[in-house]
């Protein structure tokens, strides 16, 4: 497969499209946890129950098309190769839990990869909508409509006082987790982030790295999400998160301006050195790649680098993960081989950028 | 970079541990990190930490349980009839076995939910349309009853009578739909 073709099929819409405030907010995600009456929760359901649930969703929703999102495809975890599952995790379309620990797990994935419905994860279903940029309200609306559509076919476990019943008491009520992925290099560089994170935690929101709790924020990308699911309406939960995110955006922008003023040429130097590394490296570890990508992206946002598209950070952060590298290579890779592949992929992607630029100039 | 443990293979796992604000970095190869039990961090498996924390939170209730032991039977022995999960199991796993567990363990849930959700223990968000019919009627009913009281207090008896009729017809409708299915 040619690089361009691999690349174009590997990238989902949220990675390559721009959304509101997408200089700082990479994506907005809504997740709704739901369970179906008359089945025990995945905590201890039988394999028959699990298979019935998958069959129910396959019969009712698979291969049907839904609005602008396209047709739903049903992916059964038991039928996927480990590398394929890993790629889905790296694209944030399914959770590690579904890929690794859910023998009867499945996923209904829309053609444009905006919607994924995980089946038999911690709850019977988890509806997920992923939008580029800061679009929490839009993503909630989409998720809620989908929720209504599904509810037309199945009976949800719902309690008048407690709301939607979930297997874990931390999700009961709305079953809603809203999260926003943000690129905050200036707040990291100025070390303001160390003061901001505890403050956000006190407001009932959680800040974590890209691939979940405990992971360091690779490439200065942070995920901010709500913790409470009970007692507030969906709209209020989103509004609270939105307010905090907007404040973070304002602080990040201010910090960027301050950096440009105080560091000036040094900041520009840092950006172009990182660009140099990415454009010329032959072996690169994921941590270094993430840091350089973050610098380059900052350089693009600040106008230092002009010929490279902004989405390079979103795309390459995901495409240089082990699963993708192995899919591109067409087989398993040893860690040191991955570092070589990663370097090659990044160089190739930057060349693609130059080619596009040249073609643009000719026209 | 070479693995700091075996000093032979290249380091591919990079961790930062923060304990009481003190930051320690680890650079290990895959084998050594497996031996050190760091592998669970590969996927940043958040279930691990969350469930441990949750189980801790649920077990924290132990002293309270003893205090109430005389009034109620030992909650550990409570068992959900539908899925057979015991309260003890629930506190160990941190997850319910089925929707009916919420009813079975109802007596012990409010403090847990309050702790998890900043003092909240009642849902105020979306209602499924299917159940919505009856629920919406009930909410409407509550609003009307409130209005009736206000009108009576202000001695607007004519309008109060209208509201009273509305309440009656709503109550009739609710009876017809059968409150039993809630």
């Amino acid at each position: 497969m040619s690089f361009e073709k691999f690349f174009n099929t590997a990238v989902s819409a949220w990675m390559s499209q721009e959304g509101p405030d997408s200089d700082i907010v990479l994506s907005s995600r809504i997740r709704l946890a739901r369970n179906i009456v008359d089945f025990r929760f995945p905590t201890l359901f039988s394999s028959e129950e699990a298979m019935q649930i998958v069959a129910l969703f396959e019969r009712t929703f698979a291969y049907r098309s839904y609005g602008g999102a396209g047709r739903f495809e049903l992916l059964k975890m038991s039928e996927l190769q480990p590398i394929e599952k890993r790629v889905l995790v790296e694209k944030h379309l399914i959770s590690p839990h579904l890929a690794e620990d859910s023998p009867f797990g499945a996923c209904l994935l829309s053609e444009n990869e905006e919607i994924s419905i995980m089946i038999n994860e911690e709850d019977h279903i988890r509806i997920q909508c992923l939008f580029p940029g800061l679009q929490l309200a839009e993503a909630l609306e989409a998720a809620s409509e989908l929720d209504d559509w599904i509810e037309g076919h199945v009976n949800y476990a719902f309690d008048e006082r407690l709301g939607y019943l979930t297997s874990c008491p931390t999700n009961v009520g709305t079953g809603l987790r809203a999260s926003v992925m943000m690129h905050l290099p200036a707040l990291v560089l100025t070390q303001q982030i160390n003061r901001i994170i505890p403050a956000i935690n006190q407001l009932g929101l959680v800040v974590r790295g890209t691939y979940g709790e405990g992971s360091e924020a690779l490439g200065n990308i942070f995920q901010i999400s709500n913790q409470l699911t009970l007692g507030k309406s969906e709209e209020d939960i989103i509004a609270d998160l939105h307010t905090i995110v907007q404040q973070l955006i304002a602080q990040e922008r201010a910090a960027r301006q301050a950096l440009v003023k105080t560091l000036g040429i040094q900041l520009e130097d840092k950006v172009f050195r990182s660009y140099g590394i990415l454009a010329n490296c032959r072996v690169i570890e994921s941590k270094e790649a993430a840091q350089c990508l973050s610098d380059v992206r900052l350089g693009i946002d600040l106008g230092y680098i002009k010929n490279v598209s902004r989405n390079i950070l979103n795309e390459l952060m995901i495409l240089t993960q082990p699963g993708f590298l192995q899919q591109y290579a067409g087989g398993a890779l040893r860690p040191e081989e991955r570092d070589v592949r990663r370097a090659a992929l990044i160089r190739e992607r930057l060349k693609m950028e130059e080619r596009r630029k040249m073609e643009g100039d000719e026209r | 970079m070479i693995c700091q443990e075996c000093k032979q293979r290249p380091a591919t796992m990079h961790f930062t541990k923060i304990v009481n604000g003190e930051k320690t970095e680890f650079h290990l190869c895959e084998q050594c990190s497996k031996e050190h039990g760091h592998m669970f961090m590969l996927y940043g498996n958040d279930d691990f930490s969350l469930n441990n924390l949750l189980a801790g939170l649920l077990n924290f209730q132990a002293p309270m349980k003893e205090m109430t032991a005389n009034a109620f039977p030992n909650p550990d022995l409570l068992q959900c009839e539908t899925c057979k999960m015991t309260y003890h199991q629930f506190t160990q796993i941190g997850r319910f076995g089925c929707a009916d567990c919420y009813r079975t363990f109802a007596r012990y849930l409010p403090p847990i939910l309050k702790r998890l959700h900043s003092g909240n223990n009642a849902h105020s968000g979306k209602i499924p349309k299917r159940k919505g019919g009856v629920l919406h009627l009930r909410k409407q009913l509550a609003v009307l009853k409130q209005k009736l009281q206000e009108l009576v207090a202000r001695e607007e008896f004519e309008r109060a009578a209208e509201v009273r009729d509305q309440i009656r017809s709503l109550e009739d409708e609710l009876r017809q739909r059968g409150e039993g299915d809630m």
Side-chain angles (χ1 to χ4, degrees):
Chain A
M1 203 193 312
S2 81
F3 178 75
E4 289 225 29
K5 184 150 178 255
F6 163 77
F7 193 81
N8 290 332
T9 48
V11 170
S12 0
W14 73 267
M15 290 185 240
S16 57
Q17 284 167 8
E18 301 232 330
D21 295 310
S22 60
D23 55 331
I24 291 166
V25 179
L26 306 182
S27 66
S28 304
R29 177 162 45 150
I30 296 289
R31 187 219 67 193
L32 298 174
R34 299 286 186 258
N35 287 284
I36 300 156
V37 290
D38 299 331
F39 290 103
R40 286 177 287 176
F41 292 159
T43 331
L44 39 76
F45 63 6
S46 64
S47 30
E48 287 77 37
E49 281 176 293
M51 286 190 284
Q52 277 176 31
I53 293 169
V54 174
L56 170 73
F57 276 86
E58 183 163 23
R59 201 169 55 232
T60 326
F61 304 105
Y63 322 113
R64 283 177 59 171
S65 69
Y66 177 79
R71 269 157 49 99
F72 278 114
E73 194 186 345
L74 185 87
L75 306 168
K76 288 182 188 160
M77 290 305 121
S78 57
E79 292 169 6
L80 293 180
Q81 296 297 315
I83 294 178
E84 292 175 299
K85 287 196 265 188
R86 189 144 188 185
V87 164
L88 291 172
V89 172
E90 288 167 3
K91 287 171 102 170
H92 298 281
L93 294 172
I94 64 173
S95 66
H97 183 73
L98 188 78
E100 301 297 313
D101 310 311
S102 313
F104 299 99
C107 170
L108 278 169
L109 186 63
S110 75
E111 224 167 313
N112 67 357
E113 301 191 345
E114 214 171 78
I115 300 170
S116 75
I117 302 169
M118 288 192 275
I119 303 169
N120 293 341
E121 206 236 26
E122 196 184 287
D123 292 295
H124 291 147
I125 57 168
R126 293 207 157 171
I127 301 167
Q128 181 183 286
C129 290
L130 199 54
F131 278 48
L134 182 57
Q135 301 194 72
L136 282 170
E138 291 81 354
L140 175 66
E141 202 186 315
S144 194
E145 268 175 33
L146 188 63
D147 183 41
D148 293 340
W149 184 54
I150 295 173
E151 197 222 318
H153 299 272
V154 300
N155 220 340
Y156 283 149
F158 182 86
D159 178 84
E160 200 173 322
R161 207 173 61 82
L162 293 177
Y164 293 94
L165 301 178
T166 53
S167 107
C168 184
T170 51
N171 293 319
V172 71
T174 55
L176 169 73
R177 189 120 305 151
S179 54
V180 173
M181 237 195 302
M182 304 183 81
H183 181 225
L184 304 172
L187 291 180
V188 174
L189 215 58
T190 56
Q191 298 188 347
Q192 291 181 65
I193 198 80
N194 298 330
R195 283 185 291 116
I196 293 172
I197 290 178
I200 294 177
N201 287 337
Q202 286 189 331
L203 294 167
L205 300 175
V206 195
V207 186
R208 43 179 110 169
T210 337
Y211 287 95
E213 219 166 90
S215 64
E216 207 178 347
L218 221 50
N220 302 320
I221 296 176
F222 294 86
Q223 214 185 125
I224 298 151
S225 49
N226 66 306
Q227 182 76 295
L228 292 188
T229 55
L230 190 64
K232 280 203 263 183
S233 72
E234 286 81 354
E235 289 72 21
D236 287 350
I237 291 172
I238 301 275
D240 289 354
L241 180 60
H242 190 92
T243 314
I244 302 294
V245 168
Q246 274 185 322
Q247 286 179 27
L248 277 173
I249 292 173
Q251 292 200 29
E252 167 69 20
R253 287 203 178 120
R256 286 182 186 186
Q257 288 315 310
L259 280 178
V260 170
K261 255 187 216 148
T262 53
L263 292 181
I265 189 81
Q266 280 168 326
L267 184 65
E268 194 174 337
D269 180 65
K270 182 177 160 70
V271 163
F272 277 101
R273 275 171 189 270
S274 291
Y275 183 83
I277 291 174
L278 292 179
N280 296 294
C281 62
R282 295 299 187 266
V283 181
I284 193 164
E285 285 171 10
S286 56
K287 197 175 174 181
E288 188 185 7
Q291 186 53 50
C292 290
L293 284 168
S294 169
D295 290 344
V296 167
R297 169 66 192 253
L298 179 65
I300 298 167
D301 288 336
L302 291 176
Y304 292 140
I305 297 178
K306 293 206 169 63
N307 303 334
V308 183
S309 66
R310 256 209 232 168
N311 301 314
I312 202 147
L313 174 74
N314 314 7
E315 294 172 0
L316 284 181
M317 276 296 285
I318 287 168
L319 297 190
T320 55
Q321 299 286 326
F324 262 110
L325 290 173
Q326 298 184 61
Q327 194 191 43
Y328 181 40
L333 293 174
R334 277 178 292 133
E336 56 272 27
E337 290 174 329
R338 276 186 226 155
D339 293 347
V340 175
R341 283 277 172 173
R342 181 177 296 118
L345 189 124
I346 293 172
R347 291 201 315 271
E348 197 63 42
R349 176 68 181 82
L350 287 173
K351 267 188 218 144
M352 192 171 121
E353 203 69 30
E354 276 168 30
R355 275 201 301 274
R356 277 185 190 167
K357 173 75 173 54
M358 268 156 54
E359 282 163 18
D361 286 349
E362 279 163 24
R363 244 175 258 144
Chain B
M1 194 182 285
I2 300 291
C3 168
Q4 62 185 46
E5 201 58 36
C6 63
K7 303 201 168 49
Q8 284 175 359
R9 293 174 286 262
T12 52
M13 304 283 150
H14 309 277
F15 308 111
T16 310
K17 229 184 211 171
I18 302 172
V19 181
N20 295 331
E22 215 168 290
K23 207 166 151 182
T24 331
E25 286 198 30
F26 293 91
H27 305 282
L28 303 172
C29 67
E30 225 159 334
Q31 279 101 319
C32 290
S33 86
K34 244 181 224 160
E35 282 164 24
H36 281 74
H38 283 306
M39 279 308 276
F40 70 90
M41 288 176 81
L42 179 63
Y43 277 119
N45 193 341
D46 56 9
D47 283 349
F48 178 83
S49 49
L50 179 69
N51 269 353
N52 277 17
L53 288 173
L54 198 60
L57 201 63
L58 299 172
N59 285 318
F60 185 67
Q61 300 221 98
M64 259 179 54
K65 275 190 315 208
E66 274 158 36
M67 274 164 53
T68 54
N70 296 331
F72 303 126
N74 183 356
D76 280 357
L77 300 177
L78 259 181
Q79 188 175 35
C80 174
E81 281 183 13
T82 315
C83 69
K84 309 285 178 244
M85 184 179 266
T86 62
Y87 186 77
H88 180 72
Q89 277 176 312
F90 165 64
T91 59
Q92 294 302 306
I93 309 173
R95 301 214 187 115
F96 296 104
C98 69
D100 294 336
C101 287
Y102 279 94
R103 220 174 305 147
T104 316
F105 308 141
R107 184 183 293 154
Y108 303 98
L109 294 183
I112 296 168
L113 293 175
K114 278 189 177 169
R115 220 172 290 161
L116 289 173
H117 298 279
S118 300
N120 295 313
N121 65 356
H123 178 58
S124 63
K126 188 173 176 177
I127 295 167
K129 279 192 185 135
R130 204 174 273 222
K131 307 222 168 176
V134 178
L135 268 190
H136 286 308
L137 285 182
R138 285 196 193 173
K139 283 207 167 146
Q140 226 177 320
L141 198 64
V143 171
L144 285 177
K145 280 184 176 164
Q146 173 104 35
K147 199 173 163 192
L148 180 67
Q149 277 182 358
E150 282 167 21
L151 289 173
V152 171
R154 275 182 288 168
E155 301 189 355
E156 294 183 37
F157 296 115
E158 228 166 277
R159 284 184 58 203
E162 282 170 29
V163 172
R164 188 199 56 211
D165 291 343
Q166 284 174 5
I167 289 174
R168 280 196 186 146
S169 72
L170 268 183
E171 279 173 344
D172 284 345
E173 204 178 330
L174 264 176
R175 253 192 300 280
Q176 274 164 22
R177 292 222 199 169
E179 287 173 294
D181 70 351
M182 285 309 297

